[in-house]
Amino acid sequence: MLNKKVNGITCALLAAGILSGCNSDSTDSTDIEVQEKVTFTILHTNDNHGRFWQNDDGEYGMAARKTLIDTIRAEVEGEGGVALVFSGGDVNTGVPESDLQDAIPDFVGMNAIAYDAMAVGNHEFDNPLETLETQRDLAEFPMLSANIYNADGSRYFDAYKTFDINGVNLALIGFTTDDTAKLSNPEFIGDLTFTDPQDEAPTLINDLRADGADIVMAVTHMGHYADAANGSNAPGDVALARSLSEGQLDAIIGGHSQNPVCMEPGDNTVYADFDPGDDCVPDQQNGTYIVQAHEWGKYVGRADFTFENGELTLDSYALIPVNLKEEVAVVDENGDAVLDEDGEATTELVLIQDEITEDADLLAVLQVYQTAGEAGLDETLATLTGDLNGERADVRSMQTNMGRLIAIAQSENVNADFGVMNSGGVRDSIEEGDITYRDVLTVQPFGNTIALATMTGAEVNDYLDVVATFSQGAGAYAQITDVKMTVDCTAGSVDITSIGGEAFDETAEYTFSIPSFNAAGGDGYPELEVIDGGTVDADALQAFFVEQGSIVATDYDPIGDIVYTNSTSTEGCAAE
């Protein structure tokens, strides 16, 4: 029986003599005998966010990822199966070495790994469209999104890609969160329209089925929210699966929410308490399998499927750690804890699973980019006592010292009365020690400028009615400094007591700083008429650190100025 491989698995396999062509459209299947039973494997990552290089502890990195994927691909193909590699999007934004080079090293790495397709993520629009076009030209795989349209009504990206798997036709649709319209800089997305994937999916799936698709999957950048509890975020993968007829969509390979989608066994509404190396039960909603591999290439998701007599079965699933490590106690030959000079137990980082050797060729290529990106990033700007908390889960759910420091730095930059900073623009923490420009760019990678808004007190009150009540968990959640107020989450209103230490007056005039992204309507913030100060946010933060010279993290801890009521959380308006 003819064992014809999947179309478009890149020129690397062409060189091995497996394919007769490269970068072609769907293979003509007229001469392919459909097998009664076909096995195949989907490997997937998502939310790379510039992590082409391993971290300081030697974890993840694209060179090790390539070794792992090459090994699995060889195993699967050796058994007569087919392996496809998909990305759930957001290649861009997160690490200075990548950001300064427009994520070119990341796309180079994906080409070397031989990805077969990726969803378009919202962070693909963090730069002007010219940069995105350069990335699309560089990619040796399709970037898919069925719900992004040009002004003339044509799709900006291909909606889907089809693959022949030993005679079985698999159609892969791409979807991007429609939140992109508010998450991306309006100056960059221009005349593009982002429609609701739930509106696009039924017709597109039915058309693909009518055209002969045996299996229909989606690679998405929409987010996984357990039991469809998406809060202020646009509906994600669970809602999409539930909006369709049962089993209409076979599987979703997702991204965006940056969580490992591992559900409590027997309960598909609750996340399991997952640690690296644990078993992972993927979600299944309305007959649709849903998977997501956390973030940054920390894992490669592996889903092994069988298609037999028109039925698709997920035989096994795993999140495979890519050189992830855990902290363990150091013990002596007697099994006793080894203590340090202060009498505290010492620890060390050890691999959770066997080490994955980095692919030497890809490592050498990426080293050139890493070296270029490192130049000039390590100059010390200031010293830090304590840690500044910019962890995603924290900064999007409560006021943190990092969020407040940024809001203060920006308000001082434009001499404003108070500052507003969206938490989605805070991308990392800074640990105690020297603060470098690398740290600054990691925390604030988007290149937004700082805008100055002027309003009457009454207008400020109306504005904060909206901004201060964005729900926890979303990037819209606001870090606010120099405003003392009570927030009523049920009423969607605020009661302001003071601004800048002075009693609040509805008739007075106030100024506040706001990132240009939010002033233009990003993250769903009200659009404002502002004065653009022209200072890039990272430059303002750099200048603040240089001016201060020495930073004490606790000086920026929340001081109880904002009190949330009618919410199950004391730190913000809880997502419904």
Side-chain angles (χ1 to χ4, degrees):
M1 181 172 292
L2 182 62
N3 185 22
K4 198 162 187 178
K5 298 299 180 183
V6 177
N7 169 59
I9 291 191
T10 80
C11 297
L13 296 184
L14 173 62
I18 296 175
L19 292 180
S20 60
C22 186
N23 291 331
S24 60
D25 292 328
S26 299
T27 304
D28 182 4
S29 60
T30 57
D31 62 339
I32 297 177
E33 181 182 349
V34 177
Q35 298 182 13
E36 292 182 359
K37 180 178 180 179
V38 173
T39 61
F40 65 98
T41 296
I42 301 296
L43 305 174
H44 64 100
T45 62
N46 55 276
D47 295 274
N48 190 68
H49 287 299
R51 267 75 179 185
F52 69 88
W53 197 252
Q54 65 269 28
N55 70 4
D56 292 341
D57 294 322
E59 297 178 303
Y60 49 89
M62 283 184 148
R65 191 191 312 174
K66 175 171 167 50
T67 298
L68 175 60
I69 289 176
D70 283 352
T71 301
I72 296 172
R73 185 186 281 121
E75 170 206 326
V76 171
E77 292 180 355
E79 296 174 352
V82 169
L84 297 172
V85 186
F86 299 146
S87 165
D90 268 8
V91 177
N92 286 272
T93 305
V95 175
E97 290 88 343
S98 173
D99 297 343
L100 291 172
Q101 299 175 86
D102 292 334
I104 298 303
D106 305 85
F107 280 93
V108 167
M110 292 177 74
N111 287 341
I113 292 169
Y115 275 76
D116 293 287
M118 69 168 276
V120 176
N122 59 287
H123 283 288
E124 269 60 87
F125 297 91
D126 286 345
N127 303 298
L129 291 184
E130 291 81 0
T131 300
L132 178 54
E133 290 299 327
T134 297
Q135 294 172 346
R136 174 152 56 170
D137 290 342
L138 176 62
E140 296 173 1
F141 48 86
M143 301 172 72
L144 301 177
S145 183
N147 63 306
I148 304 177
Y149 287 88
N150 295 303
D152 63 4
S154 62
R155 284 190 169 103
Y156 187 54
F157 293 96
D158 289 341
Y160 62 91
K161 171 74 175 179
T162 59
F163 302 89
D164 282 307
I165 304 177
N166 292 336
V168 171
N169 187 301
L170 185 154
L172 182 72
I173 307 170
F175 289 119
T176 304
T177 175
D178 51 320
D179 267 348
T180 305
K182 64 181 181 180
L183 293 174
S184 298
N185 192 325
E187 297 175 6
F188 295 158
I189 59 178
D191 295 326
L192 296 180
T193 298
F194 298 81
T195 61
D196 186 343
Q198 292 186 35
D199 294 337
E200 301 283 349
T203 299
L204 190 51
I205 294 171
N206 289 339
D207 288 346
L208 289 168
R209 297 278 189 190
D211 287 342
D214 301 298
I215 302 168
V216 180
M217 295 184 175
V219 59
T220 71
H221 194 82
M222 297 170 56
H224 186 278
Y225 309 105
D227 203 23
N230 56 287
S232 294
N233 301 287
D237 295 332
V238 174
L240 174 62
R242 290 180 178 178
S243 72
L244 299 166
S245 300
E246 184 174 357
Q248 188 177 8
L249 184 61
D250 290 300
I252 295 173
I253 297 92
H256 185 51
S257 51
Q258 298 180 222
N259 54 323
V261 175
C262 303
M263 310 308 292
E264 191 68 31
D267 188 350
N268 68 351
T269 65
V270 179
Y271 290 121
D273 184 14
F274 175 80
D275 290 317
D278 288 353
D279 291 338
C280 177
V281 177
D283 199 359
Q284 188 175 25
Q285 297 284 338
N286 200 26
T288 302
Y289 299 110
I290 308 175
V291 297
Q292 186 178 167
H294 202 186
E295 62 185 2
W296 304 355
K298 293 176 179 177
Y299 304 88
V300 170
R302 175 176 178 169
D304 295 304
F305 291 97
T306 295
F307 184 76
E308 185 174 15
N309 298 323
E311 295 293 329
L312 183 70
T313 302
L314 178 62
D315 299 318
S316 62
Y317 183 75
L319 287 180
I320 305 171
V322 182
N323 289 340
L324 296 186
K325 299 177 180 180
E326 61 182 345
E327 193 171 45
V328 300
V330 177
V331 297
D332 60 23
E333 62 275 9
N334 298 318
D336 298 324
V338 175
L339 306 181
D340 62 19
E341 59 185 15
D342 296 322
E344 300 291 333
T346 59
T347 60
E348 63 180 347
L349 288 174
V350 299
L351 287 162
I352 291 169
Q353 296 185 353
D354 291 342
E355 184 175 10
I356 301 168
T357 303
E358 294 174 303
D359 181 88
D361 292 339
L362 181 54
L363 185 66
V365 170
L366 296 179
Q367 178 68 72
V368 175
Y369 291 102
Q370 178 71 8
T371 300
E374 286 176 346
L377 290 179
D378 295 319
E379 179 184 353
T380 298
L381 307 176
T383 58
L384 171 64
T385 301
D387 297 337
L388 291 171
N389 182 8
E391 291 301 308
R392 177 189 175 99
D394 294 334
V395 79
R396 295 187 180 209
S397 298
M398 61 184 179
Q399 304 294 299
T400 74
N401 53 16
M402 175 64 86
R404 295 188 71 251
L405 183 147
I406 293 173
I408 291 170
Q410 294 189 357
S411 65
E412 290 187 1
N413 182 268
V414 292
N415 196 29
D417 296 312
F418 66 98
V420 176
M421 177 67 204
N422 67 314
S423 294
V426 183
R427 305 303 290 188
D428 212 339
S429 300
I430 300 179
E431 296 180 350
E432 185 173 48
D434 291 341
I435 301 174
T436 67
Y437 191 50
R438 181 194 306 275
D439 297 321
V440 169
L441 290 176
T442 302
V443 172
Q444 296 225 271
F446 298 125
N448 294 307
T449 55
I450 302 169
L452 180 68
T454 301
M455 290 183 176
T456 66
E459 291 169 336
V460 167
N461 202 107
D462 292 342
Y463 182 77
L464 292 180
D465 281 347
V466 176
V467 170
T469 56
F470 282 123
S471 66
Q472 294 172 301
Y477 177 87
Q479 300 283 325
I480 302 171
T481 187
D482 288 319
V483 178
K484 188 173 184 178
M485 62 182 169
T486 300
V487 180
D488 187 327
C489 295
T490 299
S493 63
V494 300
D495 182 12
I496 303 173
T497 304
S498 66
I499 291 179
E502 301 291 334
F504 177 66
D505 182 352
E506 287 195 343
T507 64
E509 187 174 83
Y510 296 98
T511 59
F512 63 94
S513 60
I514 183 80
S516 59
F517 164 72
N518 302 105
D523 261 343
Y525 278 53
E527 291 188 33
L528 300 173
E529 292 186 7
V530 296
I531 298 173
D532 192 330
T535 301
V536 174
D537 50 13
D539 291 342
L541 186 57
Q542 176 193 28
F544 182 82
F545 285 140
V546 170
E547 181 180 357
Q548 298 298 316
S550 178
I551 300 290
V552 178
T554 55
D555 290 346
Y556 301 91
D557 285 348
I559 54 178
D561 279 355
I562 304 175
V563 177
Y564 295 92
T565 63
N566 289 323
S567 173
T568 57
S569 170
T570 60
E571 305 287 355
C573 295
E576 296 181 0

mmCIF file of all heavy atoms in Angstrom, residues 312-327:
data_model
loop_
_atom_site.group_PDB
_atom_site.id
_atom_site.type_symbol
_atom_site.label_atom_id
_atom_site.label_comp_id
_atom_site.label_asym_id
_atom_site.label_seq_id
_atom_site.Cartn_x
_atom_site.Cartn_y
_atom_site.Cartn_z
ATOM 1 N N LEU A 312 -12.283 9.323 14.740
ATOM 2 C CA LEU A 312 -10.997 9.795 15.245
ATOM 3 C C LEU A 312 -10.902 9.521 16.734
ATOM 4 O O LEU A 312 -11.807 9.874 17.503
ATOM 5 C CB LEU A 312 -10.832 11.293 14.988
ATOM 6 C CG LEU A 312 -9.492 11.901 15.416
ATOM 7 C CD1 LEU A 312 -8.367 11.396 14.507
ATOM 8 C CD2 LEU A 312 -9.547 13.429 15.399
ATOM 9 N N THR A 313 -9.797 8.905 17.141
ATOM 10 C CA THR A 313 -9.587 8.588 18.552
ATOM 11 C C THR A 313 -8.240 9.145 18.996
ATOM 12 O O THR A 313 -7.236 9.004 18.287
ATOM 13 C CB THR A 313 -9.584 7.064 18.777
ATOM 14 O OG1 THR A 313 -10.821 6.524 18.315
ATOM 15 C CG2 THR A 313 -9.413 6.744 20.256
ATOM 16 N N LEU A 314 -8.220 9.802 20.139
ATOM 17 C CA LEU A 314 -6.965 10.239 20.756
ATOM 18 C C LEU A 314 -6.449 9.087 21.603
ATOM 19 O O LEU A 314 -7.012 8.761 22.648
ATOM 20 C CB LEU A 314 -7.191 11.484 21.609
ATOM 21 C CG LEU A 314 -5.965 12.029 22.344
ATOM 22 C CD1 LEU A 314 -4.877 12.461 21.357
ATOM 23 C CD2 LEU A 314 -6.353 13.209 23.244
ATOM 24 N N ASP A 315 -5.366 8.456 21.139
ATOM 25 C CA ASP A 315 -4.838 7.281 21.826
ATOM 26 C C ASP A 315 -4.029 7.650 23.060
ATOM 27 O O ASP A 315 -4.064 6.946 24.076
ATOM 28 C CB ASP A 315 -3.958 6.476 20.865
ATOM 29 C CG ASP A 315 -4.727 5.976 19.657
ATOM 30 O OD1 ASP A 315 -5.869 5.518 19.825
ATOM 31 O OD2 ASP A 315 -4.187 6.073 18.534
ATOM 32 N N SER A 316 -3.254 8.739 22.970
ATOM 33 C CA SER A 316 -2.438 9.156 24.117
ATOM 34 C C SER A 316 -2.093 10.628 23.965
ATOM 35 O O SER A 316 -2.096 11.180 22.859
ATOM 36 C CB SER A 316 -1.152 8.320 24.213
ATOM 37 O OG SER A 316 -0.342 8.511 23.066
ATOM 38 N N TYR A 317 -1.800 11.240 25.097
ATOM 39 C CA TYR A 317 -1.431 12.656 25.092
ATOM 40 C C TYR A 317 -0.424 12.910 26.204
ATOM 41 O O TYR A 317 -0.514 12.328 27.290
ATOM 42 C CB TYR A 317 -2.643 13.564 25.282
ATOM 43 C CG TYR A 317 -2.268 15.029 25.195
ATOM 44 C CD1 TYR A 317 -1.995 15.611 23.963
ATOM 45 C CD2 TYR A 317 -2.133 15.820 26.336
ATOM 46 C CE1 TYR A 317 -1.606 16.935 23.857
ATOM 47 C CE2 TYR A 317 -1.748 17.146 26.242
ATOM 48 C CZ TYR A 317 -1.483 17.697 24.999
ATOM 49 O OH TYR A 317 -1.080 19.002 24.897
ATOM 50 N N ALA A 318 0.540 13.793 25.918
ATOM 51 C CA ALA A 318 1.537 14.147 26.931
ATOM 52 C C ALA A 318 2.074 15.544 26.662
ATOM 53 O O ALA A 318 2.151 15.985 25.512
ATOM 54 C CB ALA A 318 2.688 13.147 26.921
ATOM 55 N N LEU A 319 2.425 16.235 27.728
ATOM 56 C CA LEU A 319 3.217 17.459 27.647
ATOM 57 C C LEU A 319 4.641 17.075 28.040
ATOM 58 O O LEU A 319 4.899 16.738 29.202
ATOM 59 C CB LEU A 319 2.674 18.546 28.576
ATOM 60 C CG LEU A 319 1.375 19.225 28.150
ATOM 61 C CD1 LEU A 319 0.968 20.281 29.172
ATOM 62 C CD2 LEU A 319 1.506 19.857 26.774
ATOM 63 N N ILE A 320 5.548 17.109 27.064
ATOM 64 C CA ILE A 320 6.915 16.648 27.287
ATOM 65 C C ILE A 320 7.795 17.832 27.673
ATOM 66 O O ILE A 320 7.981 18.757 26.879
ATOM 67 C CB ILE A 320 7.466 15.976 26.017
ATOM 68 C CG1 ILE A 320 6.528 14.849 25.558
ATOM 69 C CG2 ILE A 320 8.872 15.439 26.266
ATOM 70 C CD1 ILE A 320 6.883 14.282 24.199
ATOM 71 N N PRO A 321 8.349 17.857 28.880
ATOM 72 C CA PRO A 321 9.199 18.986 29.288
ATOM 73 C C PRO A 321 10.467 19.062 28.439
ATOM 74 O O PRO A 321 11.073 18.039 28.107
ATOM 75 C CB PRO A 321 9.542 18.656 30.754
ATOM 76 C CG PRO A 321 8.544 17.634 31.187
ATOM 77 C CD PRO A 321 8.206 16.858 29.955
ATOM 78 N N VAL A 322 10.856 20.275 28.102
ATOM 79 C CA VAL A 322 12.072 20.493 27.323
ATOM 80 C C VAL A 322 13.154 21.004 28.276
ATOM 81 O O VAL A 322 13.274 22.205 28.521
ATOM 82 C CB VAL A 322 11.831 21.467 26.167
ATOM 83 C CG1 VAL A 322 13.102 21.647 25.330
ATOM 84 C CG2 VAL A 322 10.698 20.965 25.278
ATOM 85 N N ASN A 323 13.871 20.063 28.857
ATOM 86 C CA ASN A 323 14.961 20.368 29.795
ATOM 87 C C ASN A 323 14.516 21.237 30.967
ATOM 88 O O ASN A 323 15.298 22.051 31.486
ATOM 89 C CB ASN A 323 16.141 21.020 29.067
ATOM 90 C CG ASN A 323 16.890 20.035 28.183
ATOM 91 O OD1 ASN A 323 16.791 18.833 28.366
ATOM 92 N ND2 ASN A 323 17.623 20.556 27.211
ATOM 93 N N LEU A 324 13.274 21.071 31.399
ATOM 94 C CA LEU A 324 12.819 21.790 32.585
ATOM 95 C C LEU A 324 13.441 21.173 33.834
ATOM 96 O O LEU A 324 13.733 19.982 33.885
ATOM 97 C CB LEU A 324 11.298 21.756 32.681
ATOM 98 C CG LEU A 324 10.524 22.461 31.567
ATOM 99 C CD1 LEU A 324 9.030 22.460 31.878
ATOM 100 C CD2 LEU A 324 11.033 23.880 31.338
ATOM 101 N N LYS A 325 13.619 22.017 34.848
ATOM 102 C CA LYS A 325 14.291 21.588 36.071
ATOM 103 C C LYS A 325 13.434 21.905 37.288
ATOM 104 O O LYS A 325 12.538 22.748 37.240
ATOM 105 C CB LYS A 325 15.659 22.276 36.185
ATOM 106 C CG LYS A 325 16.610 21.940 35.036
ATOM 107 C CD LYS A 325 17.934 22.680 35.136
ATOM 108 C CE LYS A 325 18.846 22.312 33.971
ATOM 109 N NZ LYS A 325 20.144 23.011 34.023
ATOM 110 N N GLU A 326 13.725 21.210 38.373
ATOM 111 C CA GLU A 326 13.048 21.471 39.639
ATOM 112 C C GLU A 326 14.086 21.618 40.739
ATOM 113 O O GLU A 326 15.196 21.092 40.646
ATOM 114 C CB GLU A 326 12.067 20.357 39.974
ATOM 115 C CG GLU A 326 12.714 18.992 40.138
ATOM 116 C CD GLU A 326 11.710 17.892 40.422
ATOM 117 O OE1 GLU A 326 10.566 18.226 40.771
ATOM 118 O OE2 GLU A 326 12.069 16.703 40.313
ATOM 119 N N GLU A 327 13.700 22.356 41.765
ATOM 120 C CA GLU A 327 14.605 22.599 42.881
ATOM 121 C C GLU A 327 14.445 21.486 43.907
ATOM 122 O O GLU A 327 13.325 21.194 44.351
ATOM 123 C CB GLU A 327 14.300 23.952 43.523
ATOM 124 C CG GLU A 327 15.348 24.449 44.483
ATOM 125 C CD GLU A 327 15.083 25.887 44.923
ATOM 126 O OE1 GLU A 327 13.920 26.174 45.247
ATOM 127 O OE2 GLU A 327 16.022 26.688 44.927
#
